[in-house]
Amino acid sequence: MTREVTHVTHLNDCRPATPWQRVTAAIHAWRTRRHEHAPPTGYTGSPAPEPVPGANTLWRMRTTVKDEPGSLAALCAGLAEQRVDILSLQTHPLAEGTVDEFLLRAPGELPASGISTAVRAAGGTDTWIERADAHDLVDAPTRVLGLAARTALDTAELPLALRQLLGRCTIRSLPAPVGGDRAPDGVPVEGALDDTVMRLRAPEGGVITVERPYLPFTPTEFARARALVELDARLGPRVPHGRDVLTLAEGRDITVRRADPRDLEAARAMHERCSDRTLKLRYHGPVGDADRYLNHLLSPRFGRTLAVQTASGRVVGLGHLLWDGDETEVALVIEDAWQRRGIGGVLLRKLVGMAAEAGCSSVYAVTQASNTGMVAAMRGLGLPLDYQVEEGTLVITARLDEPVAERLTSELGNASAS
């Protein structure tokens, strides 16, 4: 179940909410209460570290200065007085003034407040600062080229590339209204920038909305984001063609591969072979509604889908990794005749490994306590889990750490489904 799907339904359908939509709305309300969209303006990114004599700390900082000779020199002099080294500088011109973005190396004992005070005294305003790490040492052109390369290889990478380009932000995709010649909300072709929100026309005619409440976007960032979206549009739909062949305990081989909208008919045929109970456990609503959401679920614009295929070419399982704003959902559906053979566990490990590689900090699954297969598969990941019950629905959240992708990949390298 994905909240994004339900939100899209509400935009284009004024009928009373279905049970599926009511469950989805309850989960969305709970998770909204549980998670803030972004840190406040003064957030520094991490708690203040214990000072270590002789150690240095990396900081990312933005501040606005007057667009006049000597303003940047005064700022640099103010930082130098605090023994702060400027490692890189980017300028973002505005209609009035300039936003300067710095990567700084400061003495470990100098807190963020000390840097902000020095900047303010030198004429900087609207200063924002947070801890940086070694990844920030890559210069901006190199980073943008790398994101463009990732986007060129896989349609599903666009939301992730935008998030890495723009920092902590919430990204949502909405399809174009049926029969409409404009994107939702009347967004022009060139997109729209409104302080902390940018809206970009998606290649398929919908809208990609990016929100960053704690830090306004600059025209330079807007131009970079629009360039990535334009690259995606020019290249058209594309999905990597890699396949993994796994052997079940009974000796049969199955193939796990990426799926896309071209698998729509095969997915519908699998739904027809599934029992009502299987479809209810996956979609949490009337089983007749299940097919309505396949176009969205198979679209690489909203995430990644893995298909399980038999030697004869029949699709017998689907696993979804869905970008849900600033969170990530995993979901599985396995045809009844192929359940309890370890396929769900294989799919889930692959999906979570993909989420870890994409930099996601956690993934969540929406299910029911009676879905013992999904609960067991989540436990089988060997990751820290959080359990929450809302409106009779179980939400299991797995927290990911840096070694997760490598471990799951190595486990699956020579593994068989069992």
Side-chain angles (χ1 to χ4, degrees), residues 143-192:
R143 185 168 67 251
V144 172
L145 285 172
L147 295 176
R150 286 177 50 182
T151 302
L153 293 173
D154 188 346
T155 303
E157 287 288 335
L158 179 61
L160 301 175
L162 289 172
R163 186 177 297 176
Q164 291 197 15
L165 175 68
L166 302 169
R168 295 188 308 277
C169 56
T170 299
I171 299 176
R172 292 186 172 87
S173 297
L174 297 178
V178 177
D181 58 357
R182 288 178 65 83
D185 301 325
V187 175
V189 174
E190 65 272 16

Side-chain angles (χ1 to χ4, degrees), residues 62-67 89-101 193 217-224:
R62 283 191 181 192
T63 192
T64 303
V65 298
K66 295 180 179 179
D67 188 11
L89 167 64
Q90 296 183 64
T91 60
H92 301 249
L94 304 178
E96 296 182 3
T98 301
V99 172
D100 289 333
E101 182 175 352
L193 173 61
F217 294 113
T218 67
T220 300
E221 290 178 307
F222 179 64
R224 291 171 179 170

Side-chain angles (χ1 to χ4, degrees), residues 271-337:
H271 275 178
E272 292 176 0
R273 297 191 298 271
C274 289
S275 66
D276 287 355
R277 180 179 184 277
T278 291
L279 294 178
K280 274 190 174 182
L281 286 176
R282 166 60 184 94
Y283 297 105
H284 313 280
V287 296
D289 288 344
D291 287 355
R292 294 175 54 195
Y293 298 90
L294 282 175
N295 269 321
H296 179 99
L297 295 173
L298 290 171
S299 170
R301 178 68 61 223
F302 303 102
R304 297 173 181 170
T305 296
L306 294 177
V308 178
Q309 186 174 296
T310 66
S312 64
R314 173 182 288 186
V315 172
V316 297
L318 293 172
H320 305 290
L321 184 69
L322 301 167
W323 317 135
D324 183 14
D326 50 1
E327 299 174 344
T328 307
E329 180 184 2
V330 289
L332 307 174
V333 59
I334 309 296
E335 185 178 324
D336 293 63

